[in-house]
């Protein structure tokens, strides 16, 4: 069910390309897909997602309206994501103030670093003995571990000063739009 729902929502990427970001690799992809399909059906007054897609292709005004509704929804998703991160940071700070280390985060980072090192070592020492497919899979896994470390560092150390200014500007713009 979830895969077909997400596939149906991906059919609307041609009208709102940023949907790909929200529908691929997101833990809430099924919920997001449902929202996208409901918006498409509401805007086009179509009984199904397939019919909605056809109507969006036929009417540029309707497609524009759909795109605007998706932008509003993306704003809500972005705010929710930022709030989740802020709550996680506040939790970490509360743990530190209470004198407790965040063992779960430490274990996560150590595991990701160890996984990355093991992948790189296996590639360095055994790539000649492994079939090309195995080398590709191990390289992909190493990339995933590297991405995990990148995300952990971005979370831990936050954004650059310029990015923080941009974030606060966007947040104030979002607040003005919502008001």
């Amino acid at each position: 069910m979830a895969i077909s729902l997400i596939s149906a929502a991906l059919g609307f990427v041609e009208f709102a390309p940023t949907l790909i970001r929200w529908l691929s690799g997101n833990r809430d992809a099924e919920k997001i897909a449902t929202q996208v399909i409901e918006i498409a059906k509401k805007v086009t007054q179509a009984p199904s997602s397939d019919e909605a897609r056809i109507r969006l292709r036929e009417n540029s005004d309707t497609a524009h309206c759909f795109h605007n509704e998706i932008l509003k929804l993306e704003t809500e998703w972005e705010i929710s994501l930022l709030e989740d991160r802020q709550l996680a940071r506040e939790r970490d700070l509360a743990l530190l103030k209470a004198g407790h280390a965040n063992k779960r985060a430490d274990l996560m980072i150590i595991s990701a670093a160890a996984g990355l090192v093991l992948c790189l070592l296996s590639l360095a020492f055994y790539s000649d003995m492994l079939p090309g497919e195995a080398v590709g899979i191990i390289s992909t896994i190493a990339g995933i571990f590297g991405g995990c470390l990148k995300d952990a560092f971005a979370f831990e150390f936050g954004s650059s000063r310029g990015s923080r200014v941009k974030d606060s500007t966007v947040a104030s713009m979002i607040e003005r739009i919502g008001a």
Side-chain angles (χ1 to χ4, degrees):
M1 168 75 180
I3 293 174
S4 62
L5 190 63
I6 294 169
S7 295
L10 282 171
F12 295 102
V13 167
E14 68 183 278
F15 307 105
T18 54
L19 284 175
I20 200 95
R21 171 183 172 219
W22 297 100
L23 292 169
S24 57
N26 190 320
R27 70 173 190 251
D28 295 326
E30 187 174 351
K31 176 183 165 192
I32 291 169
T34 301
Q35 291 175 315
V36 168
I37 291 169
E38 289 305 312
I39 287 173
K41 288 171 31 178
K42 177 182 155 196
V43 167
T44 61
Q45 298 178 352
S48 70
S49 62
D50 291 334
E51 181 64 30
R53 209 169 15 263
I54 291 168
R55 291 182 186 181
L56 287 172
R57 283 188 190 117
E58 292 173 348
N59 187 331
S60 63
D61 290 336
T62 305
H64 182 72
C65 182
F66 171 75
H67 187 261
N68 286 339
E69 291 297 315
I70 293 298
L71 287 176
K72 289 178 191 174
L73 191 59
E74 285 180 339
T75 301
E76 291 174 20
W77 297 333
E78 195 68 44
I79 289 170
S80 175
L81 186 67
L82 291 172
E83 287 172 350
D84 283 349
R85 286 186 183 161
Q86 184 60 37
L87 290 173
R89 285 190 175 109
E90 289 171 5
R91 176 187 170 273
D92 284 354
L93 287 173
L95 282 172
L96 285 173
K97 285 180 182 176
H100 302 289
N102 188 346
K103 293 177 184 173
R104 182 180 65 171
D106 294 343
L107 181 63
M108 176 191 70
I109 291 173
I110 290 168
S111 298
L116 178 60
V117 168
L118 288 172
C119 286
L120 295 176
L121 287 174
S122 66
L123 288 173
F125 292 113
Y126 301 108
S127 63
D128 294 341
M129 296 179 255
L130 295 171
E133 296 85 4
V135 171
I137 291 170
I138 294 170
S139 297
T140 301
I141 294 169
I144 292 168
F145 282 130
C148 291
L149 288 173
K150 178 186 77 71
D151 290 345
F153 274 86
F155 174 82
E156 187 64 32
F157 297 110
S159 301
S160 66
R161 175 179 239 153
S163 184
R164 285 184 191 156
V165 170
K166 175 198 65 136
D167 290 347
S168 64
T169 303
V170 169
S172 67
M173 289 172 58
I174 289 171
E175 287 175 7
R176 278 187 257 148
I177 291 170

